[in-house]
Each structure stands twice: as C-alpha cells, then as structure tokens.
Amino acid sequence: MLLYNSATRKKDTFVPRFEGKVSMYTCGPTVYHFAHIGNLRTYIMEDVLDKYFRYAGYDVTRVMNITDVGHLTSDADTGEDKMLKGARRENKTVLQIAQYYTDAFFEDCRKLNIRRPDIVQPATGCIDEYIHIIQTLLEKGYAYEAGGNVYFDTSKLEKYYVFNDFKEEDLEVGVREGVDADDNKKNRADFVLWFTKSKFDSQELKWDSPWGVGYPGWHIECSGISMKYLGEYLDIHCGGIDNAFPHHTNEIAQSEAYVGHEWCNNWFHVLHLNTTGGKMSKSKGEFLTVSLLEEKGYDPMVYRLFCLQSHYRKSLVFSWENMDNAKVAYDKLIARIAALKTAEGEEIDSEAYAKLREGFVTALDNDLNTSLAVTALYDVLKFKTNAATKLALLADFDRVLSLNLIDAAEKLRAADKKDEADGAPAQGSDDPFVKEILELIEKRRDAKKNKDYAEADRIRAYLADKGVTLVDTKDGTTFKIEG
Ligand code: AMP
Ligand code: ZN
C-alpha cells in the first residue's frame, strides 16, 4: 500500500516494523466542547485507514488519547487551559466537562460508524509516565527548568522542524493572540513539558511532581500514552493537519530524545473541513455538529459518504448544497442496492468478484483513495453479474467504508414491503431516486400525449443511462432498476 507520509513528503510503501502487525496512534479530541464535523472528518478518514489495515489482514492496535488537561488556548502553550475555560463556561468541574464531552464524542462516533480505538486513554490517567519521561529528558540534558516550569530545549536537536514545511517564523503564531512571549524560554521554539507557574493560576487539576505541584503540557501526553501502550516504535501516527505543528513536531522531539532513536515511521495528516467562511473551529464557539445534521434531516451516513467522496489530503468545503448532493447520492445508492434480488440457489461469480474487488483494493492501496473506492461501489452495481455476487462485494467493501449499505437497503426493502401490503406504491416511493423516476414517468406520459416523442425518448434514454428500464404496459408504465 502506498501512503503519503508527511515526514518524507512523498507517498511511501507502508511497511510496518513487525510483519503483520500495525501500531497506530491517533490524537484524540480535546473534550471541552462537542466535536464539530470538521474534527469528525479527521476521525472518519482515520477510521477508514484503521479498517483498511484490518481488511488487508494486519493485526492493528490503535491507541487514542483524550485530552482532558494541558491543551491551552494557543497551541504554542500560552493562554488558559481549554478544559478550564469549558468548565467555567458551563459552571461545572473539569472532570464533569471531560466526562460529558467524552461520552458525546463517542456517541457521535457511533452514529458515524467510527470504530472505537482498541485503547482510549484520558491524559489525566498517565501523569506518572509523563513525569518519568520529563525526568529522563532532564537527565539527558534535553530539558531545563526555568521560572517554575520545565521546558524542552529544542537547540539540543540536530533537526527540530521535521515536517519541513514549517519555519521558525511560524512560531509567531504563539505570540499573535495578545499573549506575551515566554521569557523563560532559551529558544523561541522551546515548549513546556511541565507547568507549575502559569499566568492562569486557577488550574483545577494539579499533581505533585519533582518540580512542584503542577500539570503536564499538551504534547507530552501523546508521547507518554503512545509509548505506554505501543512501546518505543510506532508504525503510524495520525491527526488533523493543524496537529503537524507544533504538536506532532514537539512529540517527535521529546519522544526521540527520550528513546534515543527514531520513533514513528509514518505520519498521516487529514486536511481540514472548511466552511465557505474559513476553517471550522471549536474555539470560535459556533460550529456544526452531528446532532445538528440530524436535526436538519440528514442521516449521519450521508456525512460519512460526503467525506469519503473526497481525498483526505485535499481540504473539503462544507455547504448545505454539498450535503444535499451527498444525500441524493446516498439515497440512490441504497435504492439501487435494495433493488438487487437474488434468485434461489444463486452462486457467487468468482471471476467477477475477484475483478471488482481488485478495483476497490487498487483504489485504497493508492494513498487511501476513498473517492475511487466509492466509485468501485457503482462499478459493482453496473457490472453484468448476478445479485448474489454484487451483494457479497458490497458487504465486503462496507467492512472498510462503513456506510451501512446492506442494513439500510434491507430497511428500505422492508419499508417497501409494508407499503405494498398497505396498498401504497411500491419500490421505496419515499426514496428520492424512485421519486425522480416516478416524476419522469409522468413527464414522459405528458410528452407522449402532446406528441413530443423526442422528449419522451430523451427521458427514456436519461433513465436508461442511470440503469432504469421503463416497461410500457396497457395499464401504464412501470420500471426496473438494473441489478
Ligand atoms: P481537538 O479536539 O481540537 O484536539 O481536535 C481533534 C482533531 O480534529 C485533531 O486531529 C485536529 O487536528 C482535527 N481538526 C481540528 N479542526 C479540524 C477541521 N476543521 N477539519 C478537520 N480536522 C480538524
Ligand atoms: Zn496528540
């Protein structure tokens, strides 16, 4: 499998360190608010990667942290702790906020068919591990104490900016938001490993440490949690692109200084979901959630399909129009699957199965091209083979895409049966694709009445193109969806 690696800035052949096994780490959510659908784009694409590794036969161990301490309002470790800000906003304790939004996050994941990582670890549960790493870094000369805090000394590294796209000037970001530069730092790129002194002294959760009562920096939690569960070597580390700098850059600095060798071979970054007004962001306060999509009548699977239709290394623009298009596409897809009817004793056509599966695998093997993997679904529907083969392939692909294809189609079929029994028109008349067909049949009837045979033929050809055959009988026109 070829996978783009932010560390080498090219598509590399993915080779895990130990044959057949993949260790995978994912930066988890900062649980001071609901996840927005931008955050969830990142988790959907990471979920596809996780599932594709499993599909390809790897034994995957995936670990995710929950950031419940240390992530300050600026990524450059200045400002107030985001958790404390959230707690204050809602008049709750930090732990209450953390629990509430962690549960909400996994509920969103459930709705979007995002598999829960094998290990989920809140950052507040590994304080001893961070202290141990920081102590070692101090002993090895990679860290120093200043003004009550412990800092990582970036000047001790041969190479700090591993994702070469970032330059020292980028660190201006940390000083931008009306926050003074930290005079304790020896070098501008240095970052805090342990805080005991901060301008924001009301930190609720604090722990004893060799450097005084305080709390860990944000970056150390991911190094600590990853190494605790996955050891000194990591095959792949994932996150949204904003995590690349400074978060992942700092993780690499401290982890490699600690273990004394290279740590993680592959870096997988998902580009952002933007609105037409710019990046979607939690700190702006107003953002789109899965619940809001549901309230507006969109099945979460529609959002998942919307994400899969584009490549993870391209930024994606959210609009309601785009969501409507995804909804039409999803409904049509399910209606076409629901229309597949297997005959008694129908057997899988193994030649067709292998050929179509190859198309799917080729798409995902090329840097997780989910958009082509979705096209592979349509290739199955179009292919001249029996329904049993098609259904088996769709179920197989859905182990990775997780679009509820088979369940949703079965539900639609059951609803149709009920409608038929109730005397209502069959074939999923609630379904937009079927609705469109019925409307076009009406239009064609009118066209024929008006002797506009060209228009009637145009409608027939248009529908044939979409796999719909019209059957004219003496009682009117019925239709068949290909498959
Ligand atoms: P946070 O909860 O802020 O720690 O972010 C959780 C995950 O969402 C991280 O991997 C971020 O990089 C990612 N993320 C943040 N904003 C966006 C966005 N607009 N689009 C996609 N991913 C994002
Ligand atoms: Zn992280």
Side-chain angles (χ1 to χ4, degrees):
M1 178 188 192
L2 284 178
L3 204 55
Y4 184 83
N5 182 358
S6 309
T8 57
R9 290 205 281 166
K10 62 180 173 54
K11 286 189 203 174
D12 288 338
T13 303
F14 179 78
V15 186
R17 177 168 285 270
F18 300 107
E19 207 185 322
K21 286 187 192 293
V22 174
S23 56
M24 182 172 181
Y25 185 83
T26 301
C27 287
T30 311
V31 284
Y32 71 109
H33 219 319
F34 292 110
H36 58 61
I37 58 171
N39 301 130
L40 291 160
R41 177 193 192 200
T42 292
Y43 294 113
I44 287 171
M45 302 319 285
E46 292 167 352
D47 180 61
V48 174
L49 181 64
D50 176 0
K51 286 176 177 157
Y52 189 60
F53 283 147
R54 289 170 205 266
Y55 182 90
Y58 287 116
D59 175 8
V60 182
T61 308
R62 180 162 173 219
V63 177
M64 180 196 271
N65 66 307
I66 298 288
T67 301
D68 54 0
V69 69
H71 193 174
L72 307 189
T73 46
S74 156
D75 281 355
D77 64 45
T78 45
E80 198 176 9
D81 190 306
K82 290 190 182 189
M83 292 303 297
L84 194 63
K85 223 177 147 186
R88 199 167 295 140
R89 184 187 65 231
E90 298 185 19
N91 252 327
K92 292 190 180 140
T93 65
V94 162
L95 286 178
Q96 282 169 330
I97 287 280
Q99 192 57 55
Y100 181 80
Y101 288 114
T102 302
D103 292 347
F105 172 71
F106 284 113
E107 179 55 16
D108 286 344
C109 289
R110 190 190 59 74
K111 288 177 183 169
L112 289 165
N113 280 345
I114 297 170
R115 183 183 174 281
R116 190 184 167 98
D118 305 285
I119 295 161
V120 174
Q121 175 64 64
T124 48
C126 291
I127 302 296
D128 288 347
E129 279 80 1
Y130 317 141
I131 290 178
H132 177 74
I133 296 173
I134 298 167
Q135 258 173 330
T136 310
L137 291 174
L138 280 162
E139 281 160 24
K140 287 184 158 187
Y142 284 107
Y144 58 93
E145 285 183 66
N149 298 333
V150 184
Y151 294 84
F152 187 91
D153 187 347
T154 52
S155 69
K156 293 282 156 63
L157 300 177
E158 267 175 42
K159 190 166 178 233
Y160 168 66
Y161 296 101
V162 278
F163 304 119
N164 300 348
D165 298 343
F166 302 99
K167 299 183 203 73
E168 201 150 339
E169 296 92 84
D170 293 339
L171 278 174
E172 296 294 351
V173 172
V175 193
R176 187 188 55 201
E177 301 163 6
V179 186
D180 301 328
D182 184 344
D183 293 335
N184 294 322
K185 290 185 184 182
K186 289 188 193 164
N187 314 288
R188 207 153 49 140
D190 294 356
F191 54 93
V192 179
L193 297 165
W194 187 268
F195 288 97
T196 69
K197 291 268 183 324
S198 148
K199 280 201 298 190
F200 300 91
D201 231 12
S202 47
Q203 186 72 11
E204 221 176 272
L205 298 178
K206 290 189 186 182
W207 295 264
D208 207 5
S209 83
W211 318 286
V213 175
Y215 58 101
W218 170 38
H219 317 299
I220 196 73
E221 72 180 67
C222 286
S223 293
I225 292 171
S226 156
M227 287 193 268
K228 173 174 178 173
Y229 294 104
L230 299 168
E232 287 190 7
Y233 294 97
L234 184 60
D235 289 316
I236 187 157
H237 194 309
C238 319
I241 189 66
D242 58 306
N243 280 167
F245 182 83
H247 185 49
H248 292 162
T249 305
N250 292 349
E251 276 187 51
I252 294 171
Q254 67 204 3
S255 299
E256 296 194 347
Y258 172 69
V259 294
H261 53 71
E262 277 194 12
W263 169 53
C264 176
N265 286 339
N266 296 277
W267 290 84
F268 177 86
H269 288 120
V270 180
L271 268 81
H272 279 158
L273 178 79
N274 298 316
T275 58
T276 37
K279 185 192 156 203
M280 196 170 290
S281 127
K282 271 194 242 187
S283 51
K284 284 189 200 156
E286 278 186 14
F287 50 80
L288 297 169
T289 58
V290 174
S291 310
L292 188 82
L293 294 185
E294 285 181 305
E295 275 165 36
K296 293 203 178 248
Y298 299 97
D299 183 330
M301 286 302 99
V302 169
Y303 182 64
R304 187 165 172 119
L305 176 64
F306 171 66
C307 291
L308 298 188
Q309 281 170 329
S310 69
H311 194 254
Y312 74 91
R313 277 199 300 119
K314 287 201 177 115
S315 49
L316 180 60
V317 176
F318 178 86
S319 71
W320 293 110
E321 198 188 340
N322 288 344
M323 275 303 278
D324 286 338
N325 292 338
K327 180 170 161 45
V328 170
Y330 185 72
D331 290 344
K332 263 190 200 173
L333 186 60
I334 299 303
R336 290 177 71 178
I337 299 169
L340 292 173
K341 294 199 173 62
T342 46
E344 278 260 335
E346 201 169 81
E347 281 187 11
I348 296 201
D349 168 355
S350 52
E351 208 175 300
Y353 189 95
K355 183 178 159 63
L356 289 159
R357 192 174 189 270
E358 196 188 313
F360 177 73
V361 168
T362 305
L364 292 175
D365 271 351
N366 186 8
D367 196 20
L368 207 74
N369 194 327
T370 51
S371 142
L372 282 181
V374 168
T375 306
L377 294 174
Y378 294 101
D379 291 342
V380 169
L381 288 165
K382 272 193 259 162
F383 203 78
K384 291 232 174 311
T385 184
N386 63 28
T389 308
K390 293 184 181 192
L391 285 167
L393 280 160
L394 295 168
D396 182 63
F397 297 180
D398 215 30
R399 284 163 52 204
V400 178
L401 304 180
S402 296
L403 290 165
N404 280 357
L405 297 179
I406 304 299
D407 279 0
E410 252 160 38
K411 270 196 198 128
L412 182 62
R413 237 180 267 144
D416 282 351
K417 275 208 185 113
K418 191 173 169 303
D419 281 352
E420 256 175 273
D422 295 347
Q427 302 207 37
S429 51
D430 264 358
D431 178 80
F433 185 42
V434 174
K435 265 194 189 154
E436 186 193 356
I437 298 170
L438 294 174
E439 275 167 24
L440 286 171
I441 289 177
E442 289 273 292
K443 267 198 182 162
R444 181 167 164 270
R445 198 194 53 206
D446 292 346
K448 283 213 277 190
K449 239 195 225 161
N450 298 329
K451 300 203 163 25
D452 186 354
Y453 297 113
E455 171 68 357
D457 285 348
R458 197 194 59 73
I459 293 173
R460 178 191 278 281
Y462 170 82
L463 285 171
D465 216 38
K466 299 197 163 219
V468 179
T469 314
L470 297 184
V471 185
D472 292 319
T473 70
K474 63 178 171 33
D475 300 321
T477 304
T478 60
F479 64 93
K480 276 192 218 146
I481 301 179
E482 190 192 316

